[in-house]
C-alpha cells in the first residue's frame, strides 16, 4: 500500500463540482477583487466564529503582520516592545513580530500539549511586555482561560495565531474569537484550505478592523486617498468562492480527523512512540497534524518510507536556531529543542480510509 502524507487533489475532489461552479461563477462575473465573494466569505466566517469582523487578506503571515502593524498605527504598540510568543512554533509567528520592529520573547511549551506554557508566560513579563501571541499548534487550543487572565491582569494585547486550529473550541467558544484579534491561514494544506495562498483576520474591535482593512489595501479607505503607509494584501474572489464551498463542510471534515486521531491513540501501542494527548474536551483539538515523538526519528522515517507511508517533520529547526535569527542562536530552550529533534507527523486528513489507518497503525506497532 502507498499512502502519501497528504493529497490535496484527493481532498478537493470531494468538493470538485461545487468548486468548479464557484470558479466559473467568478470568471463569468468580471469582478475578481474586493467583490461579492469576499463580502460573503467574510460574513460567513464571522457567523462561523461568532465575531463582528473578518478581513480577508493575502495569507496567514500577512494576517498576523497586519494585526501588529495596526496596533502600532493605533498607538498600542511601538518599536522594541516585547511580544511573548511560543518558542515551539512555525517561523511565521516570529516573522510577523520582527517585521514590525517588535521583539519576540521565546516562551517554552508545556510538554504534553506542545503549546505555550502559561506558567512560563507569567515569569517572562517585564515593563516592555505589551502583547502575548498564542499559537494553537497542530490544531489544539492553548490554555486560553489562564492566558486570558494573565493578559487582562497585565493589560496585554492577546493575539491568536489560528493558522492551524480553525473550528477548535475552548469552553464552546471557537478559536479566532478567544483574544483581541486572530490571524488565519488558508494555505492549501490547512483544515480549511484554498487553492493557493489566502488568510484572514478576525476581531470584535471596530477600530482595529477598520485600520487593518485600510492598511491591507495600500493604506486606503477611499481609492487614491491613503491614510497609512499600507501594503497590498487582498484575498482574490476565486479563493473566497472556494473557501465558501469548503467552509460548509469544515465541521464534518474536522470530525473525521478526530475519529482518525482516536484510532491512532487507542490502537498504537509501540512503547518507542510517544503519542499526543487527546484533550478531555475533544472539540479542543481539530488535528491539523497528528504529531508523535520518537528518539529514533531518522530510523522511523526510513521504516515508514520502506512501508510506503508518507511522513513529515513539523518542524526540524526551531525559530531561535534559524540562520535568519542568528541574534537568538545563543538562547537555550531545551524543551523546544528536544521536541524539534523528536517530532514526526503521521498522515492525517479527512480522506484517509479505515484500511489506510489500519495499515499505518499496524506498521508503527511493528516498528
Amino acid at each position: 500500500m502507498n499512502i502519501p502524507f497528504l493529497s490535496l487533489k484527493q481532498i478537493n475532489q470531494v468538493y470538485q463540482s461545487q468548486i468548479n461552479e464557484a470558479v466559473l461563477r467568478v470568471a463569468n462575473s468580471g469582478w475578481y477583487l474586493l467583490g461579492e465573494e469576499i463580502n460573503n466569505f467574510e460574513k460567513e466566517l464571522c457567523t462561523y466564529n461568532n465575531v463582528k469582523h473578518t478581513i480577508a487578506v493575502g495569507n496567514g503571515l500577512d494576517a498576523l503582520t497586519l494585526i501588529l502593524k495596526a496596533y502600532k498605527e493605533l498607538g498600542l504598540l511601538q518599536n522594541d516592545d516585547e511580544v511573548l510568543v511560543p518558542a515551539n512554533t512555525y517561523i511565521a509567528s516570529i516573522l510577523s513580530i520582527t517585521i514590525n520592529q517588535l521583539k519576540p520573547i521565546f516562551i517554552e511549551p508545556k510538554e504534553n500539549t506542545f503549546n505555550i506554557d502559561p506558567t512560563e508566560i507569567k515569569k517572562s513579563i517585564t515593563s516592555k511586555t505589551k502583547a502575548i501571541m498564542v499559537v494553537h499548534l497542530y490544531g489544539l487550543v492553548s490554555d486560553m482561560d489562564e492566558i486570558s487572565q494573565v493578559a487582562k491582569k497585565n493589560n496585554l494585547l492577546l493575539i491568536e495565531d489560528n493558522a492551524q486550529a480553525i473550528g477548535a473550541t475552548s469552553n464552546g467558544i471557537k478559536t479566532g474569537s478567544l483574544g483581541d484579534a486572530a490571524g488565519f491561514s488558508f494555505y492549501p494544506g490547512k483544515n480549511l484550505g484554498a487553492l493557493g495562498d489566502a488568510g484572514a483576520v478576525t476581531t470584535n474591535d471596530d477600530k482595529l478592523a477598520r485600520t487593518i482593512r485600510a492598511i491591507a489595501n495600500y493604506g486606503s479607505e477611499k481609492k487614491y486617498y491613503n491614510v497609512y503607509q499600507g501594503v497590498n494584501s487582498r484575498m482574490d474572489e476565486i479563493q473566497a468562492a472556494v473557501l465558501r464551498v469548503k467552509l460548509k463542510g469544515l465541521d464534518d471534515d474536522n470530525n473525521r480527523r478526530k475519529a482518525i486521531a482516536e484510532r491512532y491513540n487507542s490502537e498504537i501501542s509501540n512503547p518507542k512512540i510517544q503519542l499526543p494527548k487527546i484533550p478531555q474536551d475533544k472539540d479542543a483539538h481539530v488535528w491539523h497534524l497528528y504529531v508523535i515523538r520518537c528518539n529514533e526519528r531518522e530510523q522511523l522515517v526510513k521504516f515508514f518510507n520502506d512501508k510506503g507511508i508518507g511522513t513529515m517533520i513539523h518542524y526540524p529547526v526551531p525559530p531561535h536556531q534559524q540562520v535568519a535569527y542568528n541574534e537568538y542562536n545563543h538562547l537555550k530552550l531545551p524543551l523546544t529543542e528536544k521536541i524539534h529533534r523528536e517530532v514526526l507527523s503521521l498522515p492525517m486528513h479527512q480522506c484517509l480510509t479505515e484500511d489506510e489507518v489500519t495499515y499505518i497503525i499496524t506498521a508503527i506497532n511493528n516498528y
Side-chain angles (χ1 to χ4, degrees), residues 26-87:
V26 174
N28 289 336
S29 73
W31 196 288
Y32 309 122
L33 286 169
L34 303 179
E36 283 305 304
E37 298 295 342
I38 290 290
N39 289 339
N40 287 324
F41 174 67
E42 289 181 344
K43 289 175 184 175
E44 288 158 11
L45 195 62
C46 280
T47 299
Y48 182 81
N49 265 23
N50 193 27
V51 291
K52 288 177 67 177
H53 302 284
T54 294
I55 305 99
V57 299
N59 55 68
L61 173 57
D62 282 1
L64 295 173
T65 303
L66 286 162
I67 292 168
L68 295 173
K69 184 172 175 60
Y71 277 132
K72 290 183 73 178
E73 293 287 358
L74 293 170
L76 297 178
L77 291 174
Q78 59 186 7
N79 286 359
D80 299 320
D81 281 347
E82 295 176 353
V83 180
L84 308 185
V85 65

Side-chain angles (χ1 to χ4, degrees), residues 175-196:
T175 55
S177 58
L178 297 167
D180 296 304
F184 291 69
S185 169
F186 305 118
Y187 180 79
K190 295 296 195 291
N191 291 35
L192 179 62
L195 300 187

